[in-house]
Amino acid sequence: MPIKNIVYAQREHGGDLRSLDDYLAAGGYKGLEATLGMSPDDALYQFHRSGLRGRGGAGFPMGRKAGFLPKDSAKPSYVVCNADESEPGTFKDREIMELNPFQLIEGVTIAGFAVGAARGYIYIRGEYEHQARILDEALAAARADGRLGGDIMGSGFEYDITLSRGAGAYICGEETGLLESLEGKRGQPRLKPPFPAVGGLYQSPTLINNVETLSALPPIMTHGADWYAEMGTEKSPGTKIFSVSGHVLKPGNYEIVLGDTTLRELLYDICGGFREGQDFKACWVGGSSVPVLGAEHLDTPLDYESLQEAGTFLGSAGCIVMDTSGCIVRSSLRLAHFYRHESCGKCTPCREGTMWMEKVLQRIVDGGGRMEDLDLLDAMFGRISGRVLCALADGAVAPVQSAVELFRDDFVRAIEKGAPEPEPMMEAPVG
Amino acid sequence: MNSPLAPDAPETATKTVTLEIDGRSVTVPEGTTVWEAAREMGIEIPVLCHDPVLDPVGVCRMCVVEVEGARTLVASCVRDCEDGLKVKTASDAVVRNRKTLTELLMADQRDTSTRDEKTGDDELFSLAREFGITESRFPGGNSRPVDSSSPVIDVDHQACILCDRCIRACDDIQSNWVIGRTGKGYKTRIGFDLDNPMGASTCVECGECAAACPTGALTNKPITVPIEAKRPLEDVDSTCPYCGVGCALTLKVDREENKVVYAEGREDSANEGRLCVKGRYGFDYASHAHRLTKPLIRKESHYPKTTLTGAMQRKDDGTRKNGVYPDYDKALSAFREATWEEALDLVASKLKGIRDEHGGGALAGFGSAKCSNEEAYLFQKMVRTAFQTNNVDHCTRLCHASSVAALLETIGSGAVTTVYADVRNADVALLTGTNATSNHPVAATFFKEAARNGTKLIIVNPHRPELADHGEFVRIKPGSDVSFYNAIMNVILEEGLEDTAYIEQFTENFDALKEVIARYTPEVAAPICGIEPDRIREIARTIGAANAMIVLWGMGISQHVHGTDNARSLISLCLMTGNVGRPGTGLHPLRGQNNVQGASDAGLIPMVFPDYQSVADDDVRARYEEAWGVPLDPVPGKTVVEIAHGTEEGSIKGMYILGENPFLSDPNVQRARDGFMNLDFLVVQDIFLTETAEVADVVLPATSYFEKTGTYTNTDRRVQLGQTALEPPGEARLDWQILCDVMTRMGYEQGYADVEDVFVEFSDLTDSYKGLRYRHLAGRGKLWPCPDPENDEGIVVLFGDGFPTPTKRGKFSPAEVIPPAELPDAEYPFVLNTGRTLQHWHTGSMTRRAKALDEINPDAFCEIHPDDLATLGVDDGGMVRLSTRRNHIRIKAISSTKTSKGSVFVPFHYREAAANLLTTDALDPVGKIPSFKFCALKVEKA
């Protein structure tokens, strides 16, 4: 079985590790204990050796990123946990915070020790109010038990974590937009460089990582980097949680070893396949900001490099699945609408371009489409992508551009017939 | 490098990089952006969101270029040059991209651009014309609204391209933090405060945003004339006529209409292109219909003189008619028009008559710090030579006379020791008795900027200034300055925080200071100044620990009967901590008028000739007698208030007043008015029929700032050139020529070829100006002293190696606490504090005739603490009657916590509720400055 509950340790322990006692009984805080017994540099080396890559979407090697923080900075360093889980179709971090909060807190503490941080922050999306309360309680419990604050677990290490809630903007999941928001400013991406490792929170050295990435640190430090690196492929070691949603019979979160499973196995074996009379049509495997895959890609192994070869990205592994009852033209419009709504408006090409992309797609869905609109879209893709400060614009273009390429016939038919087909399904499948 | 001290900074070898732009090789310092490097080579890369004075943000993407090997086009405004970089600034791909972008942006624009129509510089429309875009393939119209709520700026959100230039102008340049973004994505707009209409926001109307905007989104409302872009405007480099900051600006002049159309800050200047609301929008008074255009002589039928005409013209509903100042026609009807010949003959013969009959001491003259150095020099020369008296003074007596007295006494020089922008190099800036955001608004932007960059501002004031938002505010009790600073010094000595090496090397009389200071422990001072002993200690430690502290002060220090003592305390504090003579340290009294420094330098002071040379000194006098060719009076003359009192008792019989308006500006002004009414002969030379001119015997129509050339010396000792932009109206004449004509007619013939000739004579007699000529004064002007005007800006930081005193040492001059002249009592329980507002200047003769300024701030008001208003049963905005032992006024009360309980703040601009009817004419014994900041007051519901 490719499922391995390492980050989702709660699934191995009755499904719920919200109490500190339960977490400790399940082997919690062994990783921090081991970390505190070594030097920060050794801890950093362990991160590096584990091969752990950023699970937020970009997949950048976590150890390398942590190594970028200058050691001789006059300013304090910070660890920021990106818990602004807002990529469409992505709900994996939510379960960690809800059912296994101490593993995240332990991870943020381990990272803080390794980079010599003065403080850690968890920036959680505003809509996760329930999760924020759980984390708040967990932080208080950790503090009360000497696992945060001064002299953590008798080691002399002084460190605390502040929970900060967002206010509901997609752009605050972009790391520099998040930092701006955390500083109390309007959430907009920054010009880079400086990169956060050098000039992040309050222009100080900052390690910023996703919830899932930081939650992988306790098992890595408990069992050793080599244990972790042995799982998965050479370039994609370890496990990754896939949030599968859409037209499959058993949607949900699945932590699988990278590279062991193909997209077909995930959808048909693990997620139970499709409803009677329907079959796979399309899948946005890494959240909505990635190129769409079609049936020809079903046998792609699920890891960073194989998916890239297939023309898409692993991203956040928020796997949105559509069966043959779905309409790719309407979905494209829906996605374009999302990005138009969430563009922060800072860079002209994204602010103006996402709006025009939506308008043109709307025209096609409304039956007023013209063949030239496909060329117009094509021209716009090139003017938006790569012309801006952050990845939002690329993410806005990728799903639509790939849909027009991969499913061009659907668009042509929609324009010719004056309406896309099939008609939208009103009832959502339940799994 | 923004530091004013850049020339003194150690030169470090800069690393350079070499790259290729459009096939040409170029070597630039590391850190130069591709955009800047191209610009150096003469290649203009189009850009909308960038301006060299702003930090680049790289959001509009118009400036993208092709970089060999790069995956995508890169924004040149944020891309640093690198060795070996190959850049194409106008390849097909680049141009195509710019064109599409322009097309997208144009889709939302209106058919025409307000900016294009007004000033012809809409950068987006220019690009559209360049790319031949007449219509967009994208359906247009974002239906964003128009906001016309601001008195000076029109906001058209539809024309906004969200380049953030206005935001950076407001935040980074002016530090006002009013503009931000609101909404997201395509619905993003600029917003004011929490998305208020601009007119209802905290905007201070400085206009920096409109100056920065590249499209028709933020445009200046027409101020003076309907603007036609087709008519070419002429650039005239000049300076601002208002405050002592002396901002350099360029006037955009419509020659045909003879009007200034708009004003822009000059980038190559000490103010770095910044202006405030007065400088940017306050120039149109020069074209006001009230300008005097012919000499006026009082009609026989209008003797004896009567008091002032009705205060204001009012509409039927009782409110004041906009733009109409006093009942002007009625006031004018007391005079008949005359020829210049007749008027000048009359002036000369009357003054000569008084001089010959009663001696020169029966004459007196008030010059003005609004006039140029040349005019100030000629005026004092006229009084000293033709009138044969030293009775010449001007408004410096009412603003910083005490500061100058203390500075001359202790460090031998009355001017600032460093420039205001040196605050950038300070760890601590002590700002005391100054409301700089209103009275020195552009200097205040430098203070706020310094605070943002880590300088700690300590703001000591009984009235809470807006600067208090940017630092630590210490609200001392009114008039308690000496006790507070003595206690600060007490702690510094007690805790050994003084700079003993500096005291040893550069000062004297330290023991005398120690003896006095020892008595002022924080516990002794606390009940006097109202600050807890521990807080005094904390502040003293902050000051003591600072490597560099600069002290900037305003009239809250100087305008007291103990004003000189206040200034002495600040000087002692700086000397004791070694905070003079290094970058980021020093003493800076923020001078009020645009030329108060210059007018003082030019000898518009009763005790001294130009360059502060004592009239009583025989050698000095001999030198000026030789230069001017007449014997001179060895007796120091009377000061402003003494002259006013002289008119009352009859010892002063004739007066010449140039550009001053003592009928509103003198303390206890009714007494002064009664005195002036007593004069046998009064001539007023001004541009409007001021309150003072209303009771003159002869009124000479003078030229406004914009109609003449001359030099002005700002608060920094910076000598700058104001240049002629407009023709004088009617028969109005240049002031320097009028003065020469009067002198000639009084038998002292003057023969200057032109106004620079006057400057040459002045600078040759004035060591600190020696060698300066008009040709040196372009751009940033010159700081005096300027030993090498051909190559150098002048000396920024003075006295690094001692002081211009006989011993070369700075002298500690200890001060004891003396109470204000008039303390509150049961009948008059409040304290009256007077001052200025952002939009108005002094007696309002200029600013209340400037349309925009008058519209923003039309009515007289006072500020009273809400608790006091509640006790009085007066609503916010209700009317109160303010009375002192001298007089009373009726005025609107504004509820404000800026003023402390028991204090009332009244701006003195308003004729209809003249604050100076209330003030006391008790004087500081040394500086002879009146106590404008303190007297006892009664407040009643009216």
Side-chain angles (χ1 to χ4, degrees):
Chain A
M1 194 62 183
I3 303 275
K4 248 195 165 62
N5 292 317
I6 290 168
V7 172
Y8 275 175
Q10 76 279 5
R11 292 192 172 186
E12 302 289 324
H13 297 88
D16 181 356
L17 289 177
R18 261 181 295 186
S19 97
L20 181 56
D21 287 343
D22 289 350
Y23 182 64
L24 291 172
Y29 276 105
K30 290 226 160 59
L32 178 59
E33 203 181 314
T35 309
L36 295 174
M38 54 179 86
S39 72
D41 278 350
D42 286 346
L44 266 184
Y45 178 71
Q46 293 297 314
F47 300 170
H48 197 71
R49 195 173 164 85
S50 73
L52 174 66
R53 294 174 66 166
R55 302 299 194 218
F60 195 82
M62 189 270 172
R64 261 179 76 197
K65 194 172 181 178
F68 288 151
L69 270 75
K71 300 253 185 286
D72 52 354
S73 169
K75 293 181 169 181
S77 302
Y78 300 106
V79 171
V80 175
C81 169
N82 184 346
D84 189 82
E85 183 173 49
S86 42
E87 182 67 18
T90 310
F91 40 87
K92 60 190 177 62
D93 298 341
R94 169 181 168 156
E95 189 173 330
I96 300 172
M97 295 184 279
E98 209 169 298
L99 299 170
N100 192 12
F102 289 103
Q103 188 161 334
L104 171 62
I105 293 168
E106 187 186 350
V108 176
T109 312
I110 291 170
F113 177 79
V115 300
R119 180 168 283 269
Y121 290 87
I122 298 175
Y123 182 94
I124 187 169
R125 68 178 297 190
E127 295 87 337
Y128 281 1
E129 185 178 350
H130 179 55
Q131 291 73 13
R133 283 189 191 156
I134 293 170
L135 273 177
D136 242 348
E137 279 169 26
L139 286 168
R143 235 169 257 133
D145 201 40
R147 295 171 194 278
L148 279 178
D151 191 21
I152 291 177
M153 293 163 73
S155 67
F157 176 47
E158 193 181 326
Y159 184 74
D160 209 334
I161 298 171
T162 303
L163 182 71
S164 180
R165 290 183 61 196
Y170 179 63
I171 194 63
C172 294
E174 196 278 340
E175 60 181 14
T176 58
L178 185 155
L179 293 174
E180 288 282 293
S181 172
L182 191 51
E183 288 181 12
K185 299 176 188 158
R186 177 183 162 90
Q188 290 190 147
R190 294 175 182 171
L191 185 67
K192 288 174 270 193
F195 289 92
V198 178
L201 187 63
Y202 306 116
Q203 295 301 317
S204 303
T206 301
L207 174 68
I208 176 162
N209 271 119
N210 169 262
V211 171
E212 186 185 350
T213 319
L214 291 164
S215 298
L217 294 179
I220 288 172
M221 301 309 283
T222 304
H223 305 293
D226 293 341
W227 163 83
Y228 189 81
E230 269 165 28
M231 293 182 281
T233 71
E234 190 196 335
K235 287 185 178 161
S236 302
T239 61
K240 174 84 191 82
I241 304 165
F242 281 75
S243 300
V244 187
S245 64
H247 295 150
V248 285
L249 291 177
K250 290 197 289 175
N253 284 321
Y254 301 98
E255 183 174 357
I256 58 178
V257 175
L258 284 165
D260 279 10
T261 314
T262 63
L263 179 58
R264 186 188 301 279
E265 287 162 348
L266 175 67
L267 300 185
Y268 288 86
D269 300 346
I270 297 175
C271 295
F274 297 86
R275 291 167 302 171
E276 189 82 40
Q278 302 289 346
D279 205 350
F280 177 82
K281 171 157 181 150
C283 171
W284 294 264
V285 75
S288 67
S289 305
V290 299
V292 66
L293 296 181
E296 60 267 49
H297 301 113
L298 274 171
D299 292 316
T300 311
L302 296 172
D303 58 59
Y304 291 96
E305 55 276 20
S306 307
L307 285 165
Q308 205 160 342
E309 265 170 49
T312 189
F313 302 102
L314 176 62
S316 65
C319 189
I320 307 167
V321 190
M322 181 193 282
D323 70 15
T324 35
S325 71
C327 170
I328 202 79
V329 182
R330 284 196 184 81
S331 321
S332 298
L333 171 62
R334 185 67 191 77
L335 288 174
H337 171 78
F338 172 79
Y339 289 102
R340 194 269 293 150
H341 183 256
E342 294 296 350
S343 162
C344 80
K346 188 168 182 177
C347 305
T348 313
C350 175
R351 180 182 72 241
E352 307 282 320
T354 52
M355 194 274 297
W356 294 115
M357 215 159 73
E358 186 195 4
K359 278 203 171 179
V360 174
L361 287 166
Q362 185 75 54
R363 182 154 71 191
I364 296 173
V365 168
D366 289 348
R370 298 164 299 195
M371 281 306 170
E372 306 92 85
D373 282 351
L374 295 181
D375 299 333
L376 186 57
L377 280 173
D378 212 38
M380 277 158 51
F381 297 146
R383 299 282 177 269
I384 301 170
S385 233
R387 301 275 192 275
V388 289
L389 289 181
C390 81
L392 187 142
D394 289 0
V397 167
V400 180
Q401 183 174 19
S402 58
V404 173
E405 278 166 14
L406 206 58
F407 299 97
R408 194 173 180 89
D409 291 350
D410 293 34
F411 285 87
V412 170
R413 248 195 335 275
I415 292 169
E416 283 172 352
K417 296 203 168 177
E421 54 186 1
E423 286 299 303
M425 294 281 299
M426 293 313 290
E427 45 184 331
V430 183
Chain B
M1 186 91 180
N2 278 329
S3 165
L5 307 163
D8 295 343
E11 289 204 6
T12 45
T14 325
K15 242 185 105 185
T16 60
V17 291
T18 301
L19 67 161
E20 193 183 295
I21 300 179
D22 289 347
R24 282 153 62 196
S25 174
V26 62
T27 302
V28 293
E30 201 173 30
T32 307
T33 64
V34 171
W35 189 84
E36 289 165 337
R39 201 164 191 237
E40 291 285 306
M41 299 165 71
I43 302 168
E44 281 287 340
I45 301 175
V47 67
L48 290 171
C49 74
H50 184 50
D51 183 289
V53 300
L54 304 170
D55 288 338
V57 289
V59 297
C60 80
R61 317 310 283 183
M62 190 59 76
C63 71
V64 289
V65 294
E66 213 174 298
V67 171
E68 201 175 279
R71 187 173 61 91
T72 56
L73 300 180
V74 302
S76 60
C77 74
V78 292
R79 175 63 190 255
D80 283 350
C81 291
E82 283 168 28
D83 266 324
L85 214 62
K86 284 196 169 67
V87 178
K88 284 184 190 156
T89 69
S91 68
D92 286 350
V94 165
V95 172
R96 251 198 329 274
N97 188 75
R98 284 183 195 147
K99 200 173 162 180
T100 311
L101 202 55
T102 307
E103 194 183 351
L104 275 170
L105 290 170
M106 284 301 288
D108 285 336
Q109 295 289 310
R110 297 179 199 282
D111 293 342
T112 56
S113 151
T114 323
R115 179 169 294 272
D116 242 8
E117 285 170 358
K118 285 187 173 180
T119 46
D121 58 349
D122 187 308
E123 295 172 29
L124 177 60
F125 272 62
S126 299
L127 279 173
R129 280 192 287 271
E130 187 185 324
F131 291 126
I133 294 166
T134 48
E135 56 186 39
S136 175
R137 283 178 293 167
F138 305 99
N142 56 16
S143 52
R144 293 190 201 131
V146 165
D147 172 4
S148 290
S149 59
S150 161
V152 291
I153 294 163
D154 265 323
V155 188
D156 180 355
H157 288 288
Q158 180 162 336
C160 174
I161 56 165
L162 291 161
C163 64
D164 282 5
R165 269 159 74 163
C166 59
I167 298 177
R168 282 169 285 157
C170 190
D171 292 0
D172 300 351
I173 296 185
Q174 291 274 347
S175 300
N176 285 330
W177 304 90
V178 177
I179 314 182
R181 284 177 163 223
T182 177
K184 62 183 180 184
Y186 192 66
K187 291 196 171 152
T188 310
R189 279 194 288 121
I190 55 165
F192 305 94
D193 292 345
L194 297 171
D195 207 13
N196 289 331
M198 191 180 204
S201 72
T202 56
C203 167
V204 294
E205 288 98 12
C206 70
E208 195 74 50
C209 56
C213 177
T215 72
L218 294 165
T219 50
N220 288 332
K221 287 188 170 179
I223 306 294
T224 50
V225 282
I227 299 162
E228 277 184 57
K230 288 124 216 153
R231 189 184 289 157
L233 300 179
E234 190 176 319
D235 286 2
V236 177
D237 283 352
S238 195
T239 64
C240 174
Y242 288 105
C243 81
V245 180
C247 294
L249 43 72
T250 298
L251 301 167
K252 304 283 181 173
V253 180
D254 184 332
R255 287 285 182 201
E256 216 171 293
E257 288 276 334
N258 194 36
K259 278 177 178 163
V260 175
V261 177
Y262 65 105
E264 271 180 354
R266 280 195 346 243
E267 301 295 345
D268 62 336
S269 67
N271 50 302
E272 298 178 7
R274 306 172 192 185
L275 294 178
C276 78
V277 64
K278 292 191 286 284
R280 202 180 303 275
Y281 300 112
F283 48 78
D284 54 329
Y285 68 86
S287 309
H288 195 277
H290 284 172
R291 280 293 299 275
L292 298 173
T293 56
K294 284 194 168 146
L296 301 173
I297 295 176
R298 178 169 291 275
K299 292 175 185 166
E300 286 301 324
S301 56
H302 281 72
Y303 286 98
K305 297 172 184 176
T306 51
T307 46
L308 297 181
T309 54
M312 288 288 155
Q313 283 191 359
R314 296 193 174 269
K315 293 189 214 162
D316 295 341
D317 63 0
T319 56
R320 194 169 64 85
K321 270 190 188 173
N322 225 7
V324 182
Y325 188 42
D327 193 342
Y328 212 65
D329 293 338
K330 192 174 166 202
L332 275 173
S333 69
F335 297 89
R336 66 176 171 83
E337 291 180 352
T339 62
W340 273 104
E341 287 304 304
E342 186 190 1
L344 288 170
D345 284 346
L346 182 60
V347 169
S349 66
K350 286 282 188 185
L351 294 174
K352 219 158 56 174
I354 294 169
R355 179 192 70 192
D356 295 345
E357 191 177 337
H358 303 285
L363 292 177
F366 286 173
S368 171
K370 272 265 155 289
C371 292
S372 66
N373 288 322
E374 293 77 356
E375 289 157 354
Y377 172 78
L378 277 180
F379 191 82
Q380 60 87 35
K381 185 180 175 188
M382 174 180 79
V383 173
R384 293 195 156 110
T385 58
F387 294 10
Q388 280 294 302
T389 176
N390 287 312
N391 290 339
V392 60
D393 207 354
H394 74 293
C395 52
T396 190
R397 189 65 46 207
L398 307 179
C399 67
H400 266 307
S402 47
S403 308
V404 172
L407 287 165
L408 284 170
E409 171 196 50
T410 54
I411 65 170
S413 164
V416 299
T417 70
T418 189
V419 300
Y420 63 80
D422 201 7
V423 69
R424 280 174 169 154
N425 301 307
D427 303 320
V428 171
L430 175 61
L431 295 149
T432 177
T434 166
N435 183 10
T437 54
S438 284
N439 302 331
H440 303 88
V442 171
T445 67
F446 286 80
F447 306 156
K448 292 188 277 186
E449 179 187 302
R452 201 167 72 236
N453 293 329
T455 300
K456 181 174 175 74
L457 306 187
I458 300 177
I459 293 106
V460 182
N461 216 322
H463 186 255
R464 188 183 197 283
E466 268 157 47
L467 276 177
D469 293 343
H470 301 262
E472 181 177 351
F473 177 47
V474 186
R475 196 198 282 271
I476 59 168
K477 289 186 186 169
S480 69
D481 312 72
V482 171
S483 70
F484 176 73
Y485 292 110
N486 276 356
I488 294 280
M489 289 191 276
N490 177 290
V491 176
I492 286 176
L493 284 186
E494 191 62 32
E495 303 196 357
L497 300 169
E498 75 274 23
D499 185 340
T500 23
Y502 186 88
I503 294 168
E504 183 69 27
Q505 193 181 352
F506 290 115
T507 70
E508 60 190 353
N509 209 28
F510 185 52
D511 289 341
L513 179 84
K514 270 205 294 204
E515 198 188 314
V516 171
I517 294 305
R519 294 197 295 276
Y520 290 90
T521 61
E523 282 70 19
V524 169
I528 307 174
C529 66
I531 307 300
E532 291 298 314
D534 283 350
R535 183 139 189 246
I536 293 175
R537 289 200 171 84
E538 226 172 89
I539 296 162
R541 286 170 198 145
T542 304
I543 290 172
N547 179 44
M549 175 184 68
I550 185 169
V551 181
L552 299 117
W553 73 91
M555 286 158 219
I557 287 294
S558 60
Q559 290 176 336
H560 286 282
V561 292
H562 45 77
T564 307
D565 283 339
N566 289 351
R568 283 169 175 153
S569 305
L570 297 175
I571 297 163
S572 292
L573 180 60
C574 274
L575 290 177
M576 170 191 284
T577 50
N579 278 310
V580 186
R582 290 176 292 123
T585 71
L587 295 153
H588 192 121
L590 285 154
R591 309 308 304 260
Q593 296 271 14
N594 61 326
N595 198 38
V596 68
Q597 181 64 52
S600 304
D601 297 341
L604 215 52
I605 297 179
M607 312 81 177
V608 293
F609 293 122
D611 220 14
Y612 307 93
Q613 303 291 301
S614 170
V615 296
D617 184 309
D618 292 342
D619 293 341
V620 168
R621 210 170 50 257
R623 191 172 150 225
Y624 282 93
E625 283 175 342
E626 194 195 332
W628 293 341
V630 284
L632 298 169
D633 184 359
V635 184
K638 292 186 163 120
T639 60
V640 167
V641 180
E642 289 169 338
I643 289 170
H645 293 172
T647 60
E648 187 179 45
E649 65 190 34
S651 62
I652 303 284
K653 297 181 185 306
M655 275 197 74
Y656 198 124
I657 297 182
L658 165 59
E660 294 240 318
N661 193 11
F663 268 55
L664 275 187
S665 62
D666 270 17
N668 189 9
V669 73
Q670 192 57 52
R671 181 180 173 190
R673 286 175 186 177
D674 292 344
F676 287 118
M677 300 278 278
N678 223 8
L679 283 168
D680 290 347
F681 185 74
L682 171 64
V683 51
V684 173
Q685 178 176 330
D686 212 314
I687 61 170
F688 295 114
L689 195 72
T690 60
E691 289 71 13
T692 308
E694 273 183 54
V695 297
D697 297 280
V698 176
V699 183
L700 302 175
T703 34
S704 82
Y705 185 90
F706 302 97
E707 292 142 18
K708 56 197 177 189
T709 292
T711 59
Y712 301 85
T713 307
N714 82 349
T715 188
D716 282 348
R717 302 176 259 110
R718 192 180 299 280
V719 189
Q720 303 183 100
L721 190 62
Q723 302 200 86
T724 306
L726 302 176
E727 290 299 317
E731 294 174 23
R733 279 195 191 174
L734 293 172
D735 294 74
W736 73 271
Q737 286 174 345
I738 300 173
L739 297 174
C740 288
D741 286 344
V742 171
M743 278 192 263
T744 302
R745 276 177 170 73
M746 287 183 79
Y748 183 60
E749 189 155 342
Q750 298 296 306
Y752 298 103
D754 57 25
V755 69
E756 189 172 5
D757 221 11
V758 182
F759 184 71
V760 169
E761 181 178 310
F762 158 62
S763 59
D764 285 353
L765 280 167
T766 309
D767 281 349
S768 47
Y769 286 69
K770 194 141 264 169
L772 288 182
R773 295 293 180 264
Y774 280 8
R775 66 171 190 280
H776 300 134
L777 304 178
R780 300 173 65 89
K782 296 292 175 207
L783 293 162
W784 70 251
C786 188
D788 180 12
E790 297 295 341
N791 302 304
D792 188 53
E793 191 180 337
I795 299 176
V796 178
V797 179
L798 293 172
F799 314 139
D801 50 1
F803 297 96
T805 54
T807 55
K808 303 279 170 226
R809 287 168 178 270
K811 182 180 167 190
F812 285 103
S813 183
E816 294 275 9
V817 170
I818 51 168
E822 190 182 79
L823 287 165
D825 56 18
E827 198 187 351
Y828 297 96
F830 285 85
V831 174
L832 170 70
N833 180 12
T834 67
R836 294 185 272 150
T837 62
L838 169 61
Q839 295 84 9
H840 284 306
W841 190 260
H842 285 61
T843 63
S845 53
M846 295 151 71
T847 50
R848 298 193 90 185
R849 290 182 174 94
K851 187 167 172 287
L853 302 177
D854 184 53
E855 199 177 320
I856 300 168
N857 184 348
D859 289 315
F861 68 94
C862 67
E863 289 175 0
I864 303 183
H865 193 278
D867 292 355
D868 290 334
L869 277 183
T871 310
L872 292 162
V874 178
D875 293 334
D876 185 8
M879 298 300 285
V880 288
R881 181 187 154 100
L882 304 180
S883 358
T884 61
R885 292 193 170 84
R886 290 154 293 281
N887 221 314
H888 62 86
I889 59 173
R890 195 172 168 274
I891 195 167
K892 185 166 75 180
I894 300 291
S895 170
S896 169
T897 50
K898 285 182 193 165
T899 190
S900 50
K901 259 170 91 168
S903 287
V904 176
F905 175 76
V906 189
F908 75 97
H909 316 296
Y910 308 97
R911 171 194 176 114
E912 65 273 32
N916 279 322
L917 286 168
L918 306 175
T919 50
T920 167
D921 48 359
L923 299 182
D924 173 282
V926 184
K928 308 283 186 191
I929 192 169
S931 174
F932 285 118
K933 300 293 186 201
F934 199 110
C935 71
L937 178 78
K938 177 160 67 181
V939 186
E940 297 157 291
K941 187 172 180 173

